[in-house]
Coordinates of all heavy atoms in Angstrom, one line a residue:
L67 N -46.5 68.8 27.7 CA -45.7 67.6 27.4 C -46.6 66.3 27.3 O -47.5 66.2 28.0 CB -44.7 67.3 28.5 CG -43.6 66.2 28.3 CD1 -42.7 66.6 27.2 CD2 -42.9 66.0 29.6
R68 N -46.3 65.5 26.3 CA -47.0 64.2 26.1 C -46.1 63.1 26.7 O -45.0 62.8 26.2 CB -47.3 63.9 24.7 CG -48.2 64.9 24.0 CD -48.5 64.6 22.6 NE -49.3 63.3 22.5 CZ -48.8 62.2 21.9 NH1 -47.6 62.2 21.4 NH2 -49.6 61.1 21.9
P69 N -46.4 62.5 27.9 CA -45.6 61.5 28.5 C -45.3 60.2 27.7 O -44.3 59.6 27.9 CB -46.3 61.2 29.8 CG -47.2 62.4 30.0 CD -47.6 62.8 28.6
G70 N -46.3 59.9 26.9 CA -46.2 58.6 26.2 C -44.9 58.3 25.5 O -44.3 57.3 25.7
P71 N -44.5 59.2 24.6 CA -43.3 59.0 23.8 C -42.0 58.9 24.7 O -41.1 58.1 24.5 CB -43.2 60.2 22.9 CG -44.6 60.6 22.7 CD -45.2 60.4 24.0
L72 N -42.0 59.7 25.8 CA -40.9 59.6 26.8 C -40.9 58.2 27.5 O -39.8 57.6 27.7 CB -41.0 60.7 27.8 CG -40.8 62.1 27.2 CD1 -40.9 63.1 28.3 CD2 -39.4 62.2 26.5
R73 N -42.1 57.7 27.8 CA -42.2 56.4 28.5 C -41.7 55.3 27.5 O -41.0 54.4 27.9 CB -43.6 56.1 29.0 CG -44.0 57.0 30.1 CD -45.4 56.6 30.7 NE -45.9 57.5 31.6 CZ -45.5 57.7 32.9 NH1 -44.5 56.9 33.3 NH2 -46.0 58.6 33.7
E74 N -42.1 55.4 26.2 CA -41.6 54.4 25.2 C -40.1 54.5 25.1 O -39.5 53.5 25.0 CB -42.3 54.7 23.9 CG -43.8 54.5 23.9 CD -44.5 54.9 22.6 OE1 -43.8 55.3 21.7 OE2 -45.7 54.8 22.6
L75 N -39.6 55.7 25.1 CA -38.1 55.9 25.0 C -37.4 55.3 26.2 O -36.4 54.6 26.1 CB -37.7 57.3 24.8 CG -36.2 57.7 24.8 CD1 -35.6 56.9 23.7 CD2 -36.0 59.2 24.7
A76 N -38.0 55.6 27.4 CA -37.4 55.0 28.6 C -37.4 53.5 28.6 O -36.5 52.8 29.1 CB -38.2 55.6 29.8
A77 N -38.5 52.9 28.1 CA -38.6 51.5 28.1 C -37.6 50.9 27.1 O -37.0 49.8 27.4 CB -40.0 51.1 27.6
A78 N -37.4 51.6 26.0 CA -36.4 51.1 25.0 C -35.0 51.2 25.6 O -34.2 50.2 25.4 CB -36.5 51.9 23.7
L79 N -34.7 52.2 26.3 CA -33.4 52.4 26.9 C -33.2 51.3 28.0 O -32.1 50.8 28.2 CB -33.2 53.8 27.5 CG -33.2 54.9 26.4 CD1 -33.2 56.3 27.1 CD2 -32.0 54.8 25.5
G80 N -34.3 51.1 28.7 CA -34.2 50.0 29.8 C -33.9 48.7 29.2 O -33.2 47.9 29.8
R81 N -34.6 48.4 28.0 CA -34.3 47.1 27.4 C -32.8 47.0 26.9 O -32.2 45.9 27.1 CB -35.2 46.9 26.2 CG -36.7 46.6 26.6 CD -37.5 46.1 25.5 NE -37.7 47.2 24.4 CZ -38.7 48.0 24.4 NH1 -39.6 48.0 25.4 NH2 -38.8 48.9 23.5
L82 N -32.3 48.1 26.4 CA -30.9 48.1 26.0 C -30.0 47.8 27.2 O -29.0 47.0 27.2 CB -30.5 49.4 25.4 CG -31.1 49.7 24.0 CD1 -30.7 51.1 23.6 CD2 -30.7 48.7 23.0
A83 N -30.3 48.5 28.3 CA -29.5 48.3 29.6 C -29.6 46.9 30.1 O -28.6 46.3 30.5 CB -30.0 49.3 30.6
D84 N -30.8 46.3 30.0 CA -31.0 44.9 30.5 C -30.2 43.9 29.6 O -29.6 43.0 30.1 CB -32.5 44.5 30.5 CG -33.3 45.2 31.5 OD1 -32.7 45.8 32.5 OD2 -34.5 45.3 31.4
T85 N -30.2 44.2 28.3 CA -29.4 43.3 27.4 C -27.9 43.4 27.7 O -27.3 42.4 27.7 CB -29.7 43.8 25.9 OG1 -31.1 43.6 25.6 CG2 -28.8 42.9 25.0

Side-chain angles (χ1 to χ4, degrees):
L67 188 66
R68 298 182 65 244
L72 293 180
R73 294 189 188 281
E74 292 173 6
L75 176 59
L79 294 174
R81 288 192 294 271
L82 291 177
D84 291 342
T85 298

